[in-house]
Amino acid sequence: MIQDLEYDLDDRKQTILRVIISNYLETGEPVGSRTISKLSDLNLSSATIRNEMSDLEELGYIVQPHTSAGRIPTDKGYRFYVDKVMNEKGEAERKEGALLERVDKLEALLMQVAKVLAYNTQYATMVTSPMLQNKQVKFIQLSQVDEEKLVAVIVVGDNIAKNKLIKVSRPLFNEEVLKFNILLNTFLQGVAVDQINLELMQTMKKQAGDYADILESIFEGIVDAVKEAEEMKIYTSGASNILKYQELGNMEKATALLETFEEQTGLDALADETLKSEDGEHNIQIYIGDESPVQNIKDCSIITSTYQLPEGAKGTIGIIGPKRMDYKKVVSTLKSLTDELDNIFLNKEDKRGEN
């Protein structure tokens, strides 16, 4: 979790810093004293403004990229903007209307979320599949499909269900399937996912006696299904959008950014860090420059949020752009989208309850 910094700036310095940041966010060009004089109500001479800018530079809020050029924000300056300016102005108005079509499959929905966000923000986006918070086996139910196949329904955590088709070496009677159900739930019900191991399987095989070979097939199928429930999938879109910004467009930075999205290197760590922190509704996190947990995108800013299924599983949504991204718009868009996702999932859950 990123901690707020303490800012020891008088009103005049804060006003000048806000003008520099807001103007640079809009234009991408260094900001000089004349621009500050025109855009602020300070009624100060250019010389006085330059002196204040020198102080802000010494304090680490701005930097002069070239001799005789204006100033641009540092990571500390962007952090000031995120912590102070956005909080003072409050939450921006949320866009009305649906961003997403209602789709049945979660994977299709999450892919659509990534594309919608990339289109609306013109930045790069990532969305992860929901991850279990409670990683225990709750219930297992075996049913016969035919003489050679069983279907296992494994309920993990807070009612996350996974199905697995399992082939067996010989036909089973209903009574035998019932005994397998009793055996599996006796040993696995309430067991944490990471405790399901070879030693546990050997103990269960002793109990199964002549059916040990069939139990081994069933056990392996169940373990595979549980691993699938744990596996994080990441959907990305709009990686080429951030190459439109000149500060990220050189060959070295562009290559590193594109490789990060293509290989998804480090994006799982970013998602994990977001899920571990708890910071209000939807857990909005903002990483600026070196604050990023992903090495190849430390020249960018990242804003992440979480969504939650009714069963309790949580996923991460992230937007990656230049440090001069439109923070207010991105935060507002994320809040609006996560609210809508919550409504979609809640409505689906209500419909299940009615059936």
Side-chain angles (χ1 to χ4, degrees), residues 43-60:
N43 296 319
L44 300 174
S45 67
S46 293
T48 301
I49 292 174
R50 283 195 294 272
N51 288 335
E52 294 287 0
M53 291 168 71
S54 295
D55 290 344
L56 287 169
E57 190 169 1
E58 288 182 8
L59 292 169

Side-chain angles (χ1 to χ4, degrees), residues 6-20:
E6 294 295 329
Y7 302 99
D8 186 17
L9 298 176
D10 59 32
D11 291 343
R12 179 189 290 180
K13 286 184 175 63
Q14 288 196 33
T15 299
I16 292 173
L17 181 56
R18 291 172 196 227
V19 172
I20 292 172

Side-chain angles (χ1 to χ4, degrees), residues 29 49 102 120 126 129 147 212 255 261 279:
E29 299 293 334
I49 292 174
R102 297 183 186 275
N120 285 348
M126 59 167 281
S129 58
E147 290 186 348
T255 300
F261 280 88
D279 190 14

Side-chain angles (χ1 to χ4, degrees), residues 10-283:
D10 59 32
D11 291 343
R12 179 189 290 180
K13 286 184 175 63
Q14 288 196 33
T15 299
I16 292 173
L17 181 56
R18 291 172 196 227
V19 172
I20 292 172
I21 294 173
S22 61
N23 192 259
Y24 184 69
L25 289 175
E26 182 177 347
T27 67
E29 299 293 334
V31 182
S33 57
R34 289 185 180 180
T35 301
I36 295 171
S37 179
K38 292 177 182 178
L39 297 179
S40 69
D41 298 324
L42 293 174
N43 296 319
L44 300 174
S45 67
S46 293
T48 301
I49 292 174
R50 283 195 294 272
N51 288 335
E52 294 287 0
M53 291 168 71
S54 295
D55 290 344
L56 287 169
E57 190 169 1
E58 288 182 8
L59 292 169
Y61 290 96
I62 56 177
V63 67
Q64 190 174 27
H66 306 289
T67 305
S68 76
R71 268 68 165 187
I72 65 175
T74 62
D75 290 1
K76 185 177 180 181
Y78 285 117
R79 176 51 58 189
F80 167 86
Y81 177 82
V82 168
D83 290 347
K84 295 294 182 182
V85 179
M86 288 177 61
N87 288 340
E88 288 172 4
K89 291 187 177 181
E91 182 180 328
E93 292 183 1
R94 300 180 182 185
K95 293 181 179 180
E96 295 182 358
L99 289 174
L100 302 167
E101 298 173 4
R102 297 183 186 275
V103 293
D104 292 331
K105 291 185 179 180
L106 181 60
E107 180 176 345
L109 175 61
L110 297 181
M111 291 175 65
Q112 188 178 352
V113 168
K115 290 179 181 179
V116 168
L117 275 180
Y119 177 80
N120 285 348
T121 64
Q122 289 299 295
Y123 300 132
T125 61
M126 59 167 281
V127 181
T128 73
S129 58
M131 300 301 295
L132 297 172
Q133 304 302 299
N134 174 11
K135 298 184 178 182
Q136 290 184 333
V137 175
K138 188 172 183 180
F139 185 73
I140 298 171
Q141 177 66 51
L142 292 178
S143 302
Q144 277 190 307
V145 177
D146 56 38
E147 290 186 348
E148 297 181 346
K149 296 185 185 71
L150 297 173
V151 63
V153 179
I154 305 100
V155 181
V156 185
D158 299 313
N159 297 326
I160 300 294
K162 300 294 292 186
N163 299 331
K164 190 72 178 180
L165 193 64
I166 301 169
K167 290 185 178 181
V168 292
S169 56
R170 59 181 186 270
L172 295 173
F173 296 105
N174 289 336
E175 294 82 359
E176 293 167 324
V177 175
L178 177 59
K179 288 179 181 179
F180 274 120
N181 276 322
I182 294 172
L183 178 63
L184 290 167
N185 283 287
T186 299
F187 278 88
L188 298 180
Q189 196 171 48
V191 173
V193 168
D194 57 7
Q195 293 177 342
I196 302 177
N197 52 32
L198 185 61
E199 182 180 355
L200 182 58
M201 184 184 75
Q202 294 299 330
T203 302
M204 294 173 63
K205 285 174 71 174
K206 290 179 182 178
Q207 294 289 323
D210 294 339
Y211 294 92
D213 58 330
I214 297 179
L215 177 66
E216 184 171 357
S217 298
I218 295 172
F219 190 89
E220 289 175 354
I222 290 171
V223 170
D224 287 345
V226 169
K227 286 181 178 178
E228 288 175 10
E230 274 203 299
E231 182 181 357
M232 178 187 291
K233 294 182 180 179
I234 302 176
Y235 309 95
T236 62
S237 185
S240 61
N241 284 340
I242 51 180
L243 303 184
K244 300 173 184 176
Y245 299 92
Q246 57 186 11
E247 61 266 42
L248 300 174
N250 71 57
M251 184 63 68
E252 184 179 351
K253 291 180 181 179
T255 300
L257 286 168
L258 291 175
E259 285 180 353
T260 297
F261 280 88
E262 184 175 343
E263 304 296 331
Q264 299 185 349
T265 307
L267 297 183
D268 54 346
L270 173 62
D272 286 339
E273 182 166 321
T274 302
L275 291 172
K276 287 176 184 176
S277 59
E278 296 182 4
D279 190 14
E281 186 181 8
H282 295 315
N283 192 20

